[in-house]
Amino acid sequence: MSADRDAPTAPQLSADDDPATAYRPFAAGASGHVLAEGGAILVLEREGRARARGARHRYGRVAGYAATMDPPPGSSRPATLRNAAALALADAGLAPERIDVVFADAAGGTMRDRAEAEALTGLFGAGGVPVTAPKAMTGRMSAGGAAVDVATCLLAMRDGMIPPTADVRPDPSYGLDLVTGRPRPARIDHALILARGEGGFNSALVLAACPRETPPAAEPRDERASRDLPGT
């Protein structure tokens, strides 16, 4: 088990045996994270091809992406998670205020949580965007976790609900609008998903909801012609 005091990029497993408190990202006194098993498989294709084949479910589309690497421990250069998020927004052609929710990496250790909070408040302002970490209900799935966040985000777009960060009372010093307790109704047109890996890798993905399609209007019925048809 690595300690957050050793390096801000080091993972930290929780030593808390209580399921209710073992993994509490962005909470005061957070002690690390809990490992979990799982993952998600996503089908990615061009939107035009999905339309052409008559795809019944188009949950969303990839609008932007970026990845960065943090400097090595002990470097005087700053961490680059904020840069990854800003570059992903630029790739999507969106200003920060167009983002409706952030699915956080939520490492669950004080130094890494604070670094992520500073990246978010630096980009969006304090409380400037709803933030959530549904993985607090499942644990962190390592390489499979980001794909699960993408799948969860797409379902949140579909249902108009931001899932909560369960069992967490956020530390107000982080300055985050953390969604806790219960789902928050919201229209989600654009979302930012953050992920960090060991060694300082940062990933930022922007998802956009598919345009809401209006079903074609039914042709007006000719009541006079109906009366003239036999059997009507």
Side-chain angles (χ1 to χ4, degrees):
M1 177 169 58
S2 300
D4 262 350
R5 63 178 177 271
D6 295 333
T9 59
Q12 180 182 6
L13 295 178
S14 176
D16 191 337
D17 293 331
D18 186 347
T21 58
Y23 179 29
R24 297 176 299 144
F26 303 112
S31 59
H33 67 266
V34 176
L35 289 177
E37 295 181 349
I41 296 176
L42 306 172
V43 176
L44 183 66
E45 64 179 333
R46 295 188 182 277
E47 189 169 5
R49 296 190 65 178
R51 289 177 178 272
R53 68 177 178 81
R56 296 180 57 190
H57 299 292
R58 292 182 295 114
Y59 292 96
R61 57 188 181 87
V62 175
Y65 176 77
T68 61
M69 285 295 297
D70 286 337
S75 170
S76 60
R77 291 179 290 145
T80 61
L81 179 62
R82 177 179 173 178
N83 292 352
L87 289 169
L89 291 180
D91 189 40
L94 296 174
E97 56 266 25
R98 297 284 304 280
I99 296 297
D100 301 305
V101 64
V102 173
F103 279 67
D105 175 67
T110 53
M111 286 188 67
R112 298 195 78 193
D113 282 353
R114 188 161 299 281
E116 185 170 23
E118 289 175 353
L120 291 175
T121 56
L123 186 59
F124 296 100
V129 63
V131 177
T132 188
K135 58 173 66 76
M137 293 182 278
T138 63
R140 290 177 65 86
M141 300 178 191
S142 300
V148 171
D149 273 349
V150 172
T152 305
C153 181
L154 292 171
L155 295 177
M157 285 179 163
R158 182 196 67 183
D159 297 340
M161 287 283 184
I162 300 175
T165 309
D167 298 323
V168 172
R169 180 177 296 176
D171 184 338
S173 70
Y174 287 130
L176 298 179
D177 177 16
L178 193 68
V179 179
T180 62
R182 61 182 61 189
R184 180 186 297 181
R187 173 167 173 162
I188 305 173
D189 291 320
H190 301 97
L192 175 66
I193 300 171
L194 300 179
R196 291 176 291 183
E198 294 186 38
F201 178 74
N202 305 297
S203 171
L205 178 72
V206 177
L207 293 179
C210 287
R212 292 168 171 80
E213 298 179 349
T214 303
E219 294 184 5
R221 183 180 179 185
D222 189 335
E223 294 292 343
R224 183 178 56 187
S226 298
R227 287 195 298 269
D228 294 337
L229 292 175
T232 60

